[in-house]
Amino acid sequence: SQKIEQNSEALNIQEGKTATLTCNYTNYSPAYLQWYRQDPGRGPVFLLLIRENEKEKRKERLKVTFDTTLKQSLFHITASQPADSATYLCALTTGTASKLTFGTGTRLQVTL
Amino acid sequence: EAQVTQNPRYLITVTGKKLTVTCSQNMNHEYMSWYRQDPGLGLRQIYYSMNVEVTDKGDVPEGYKVSRKEKRNFPLILESPSPNQTSLYFCASTASGGWDTGELFFGEGSRLTVL
């Protein structure tokens, strides 16, 4: 069956460092991969979308890579700040929003 | 301001008492969807709608109903709530109509407790 795995353990890093979060998938051939940010008790907020034919996407301090051979996406936040502390969700689809499947998310904690 | 509005935000109810969670979006989006979020299970899709009068089941539709009579509204109905429907519910919408993967816009969530 299709499976999306994100590290369930929280990632703790120091302010200013680069945070790297991982999204692995199995039995899946996604055409699109998205990353969302979710704060406690709030709805997820879209961050980035990357297509299967794109290796890398950047937006300000964010960078996403998509390796269809390794079946993995990496999400990087450079120069991390305490305000970046949140849970980050990856979501994959083979091509339609109705088939978008979410991972369980990884909580990032950035400390001073 | 572009937004997805859910009501109520918090609700405590008892088993069997019918309830409706409303969802409204002001972005003229064709596609709308309901998710529930539970610890360790992530977001799971309940129902979705490609357009007015077009709805379909997601991954966990049992115990829920939806309707899409107007483009902006997509209410979630629990005809006879049970304790296993205690969860955090999110409504989401996107402009793409479901045939492409634009970003999803989420509401603020509705925390439902069924006693």
Side-chain angles (χ1 to χ4, degrees):
Chain A
S1 62
Q2 296 172 344
K3 196 171 183 182
I4 302 171
E5 290 185 343
Q6 294 186 258
N7 195 340
S8 59
E9 291 183 15
L11 177 63
N12 295 295
I13 66 163
Q14 201 172 21
E15 182 181 22
K17 303 289 186 184
T18 296
T20 298
L21 287 71
T22 304
C23 176
N24 294 304
Y25 58 91
T26 55
N27 298 324
Y28 214 139
S29 296
Y32 305 90
L33 188 149
Q34 299 180 348
W35 283 88
Y36 289 79
R37 169 186 172 137
Q38 186 175 23
D39 293 290
R42 307 292 296 273
V45 175
F46 173 82
L47 296 174
L48 281 167
L49 177 151
I50 187 166
R51 294 175 171 78
E52 62 177 337
N53 60 352
E54 298 174 318
K55 297 292 186 188
E56 182 180 298
K57 205 77 166 287
R58 291 176 185 261
K59 179 182 176 183
E60 298 172 351
R61 293 185 296 113
L62 309 180
K63 186 178 85 171
V64 172
T65 63
F66 193 7
D67 189 325
T68 55
T69 301
L70 291 178
K71 295 186 182 295
Q72 179 181 81
S73 174
L74 298 179
F75 177 79
H76 306 272
I77 305 176
T78 57
S80 58
Q81 306 163 0
D84 295 326
S85 299
T87 295
Y88 291 86
L89 310 174
C90 72
L92 292 79
T93 178
T94 52
T96 64
S98 63
K99 300 301 181 188
L100 195 64
T101 303
F102 284 83
T104 54
T106 298
R107 189 165 63 87
L108 173 66
Q109 185 71 41
V110 181
T111 55
L112 294 170
Chain B
E1 181 190 352
Q3 59 186 5
V4 178
T5 304
Q6 297 179 225
N7 279 297
R9 293 289 312 282
Y10 302 92
L11 180 63
I12 300 175
T13 189
V14 296
T15 299
K17 186 175 181 182
K18 180 180 178 180
L19 67 92
T20 299
V21 185
T22 63
C23 174
S24 181
Q25 50 90 8
N26 63 1
M27 296 169 279
N28 201 35
H29 285 171
E30 292 179 345
Y31 180 88
M32 298 185 74
S33 180
W34 275 102
Y35 292 86
R36 60 177 290 174
Q37 187 174 39
D38 302 287
L41 296 177
L43 283 163
R44 293 180 293 167
Q45 186 169 247
I46 302 170
Y47 270 94
Y48 64 93
S49 170
M50 297 284 202
N51 212 325
V52 175
E53 302 292 0
V54 181
T55 63
D56 208 346
K57 296 177 181 178
D59 298 318
V60 288
E62 295 78 20
Y64 305 95
K65 283 175 57 177
V66 293
S67 68
R68 187 90 182 273
K69 293 183 170 58
E70 304 166 284
K71 198 170 187 178
R72 64 182 293 128
N73 296 323
F74 190 44
L76 179 69
I77 303 157
L78 286 73
E79 292 270 0
S80 183
S82 62
N84 64 12
Q85 293 179 296
T86 292
S87 187
L88 179 58
Y89 291 87
F90 289 103
C91 180
S93 71
T94 186
S96 67
W99 299 114
D100 193 357
T101 57
E103 61 177 285
L104 280 177
F105 291 82
F106 282 86
E108 287 296 306
S110 296
R111 185 168 292 281
L112 171 65
T113 302
V114 183
L115 302 176

